[in-house]
Amino acid sequence: NRTLWDTHEDYILLSEYLTYYSSWSKISEKLPGRNVYSVKNRFYSLLLKHGIEKDSLNLLDDIKQILENFYP
C-alpha cells in the first residue's frame, strides 16, 4: 500500500503497539495493505514526530500520552 497514512491507521498502530510491543507482524495484520516494514518505519517516524526517542525508558507511557492528546 503506497497511500499516505491516515490518523486512524496511526491510532491503530500506536494502540496495537501497547498490546504487541514490537511484534510488527502482528501489528501489520491489523492494518490491511501495510507490510511489516512500512508499519515499523511508520512507528519510528511517529516517535520522531512527537519528539520521543526510541530508547526512551518511558516509551509505553509516552505512547499513551500521544494517544490521549492527539487521537481523542
Side-chain angles (χ1 to χ4, degrees):
N1 189 356
R2 296 204 181 256
T3 60
L4 295 176
W5 286 76
D6 61 34
T7 54
H8 181 68
E9 288 177 306
D10 289 342
Y11 179 84
I12 292 170
L13 170 55
L14 293 173
S15 60
E16 293 299 322
Y17 185 87
L18 294 175
T19 302
Y20 297 113
Y21 304 103
S22 60
S23 181
W24 305 116
S25 60
K26 288 185 179 181
I27 296 171
S28 68
E29 289 174 5
K30 307 288 185 179
L31 296 162
R34 302 291 185 184
N35 66 35
V36 173
Y37 301 106
S38 66
V39 168
K40 182 178 177 182
N41 289 337
R42 179 62 177 179
F43 176 78
Y44 288 117
S45 294
L46 285 172
L47 292 186
L48 286 173
K49 175 182 174 184
H50 293 285
I52 299 169
E53 294 185 25
K54 66 180 182 179
D55 297 328
S56 170
L57 295 176
N58 300 315
L59 183 58
L60 297 180
D61 290 334
D62 293 339
I63 291 171
K64 289 176 187 174
Q65 279 295 125
I66 293 171
L67 289 171
E68 290 173 9
N69 294 332
F70 294 96
Y71 307 100

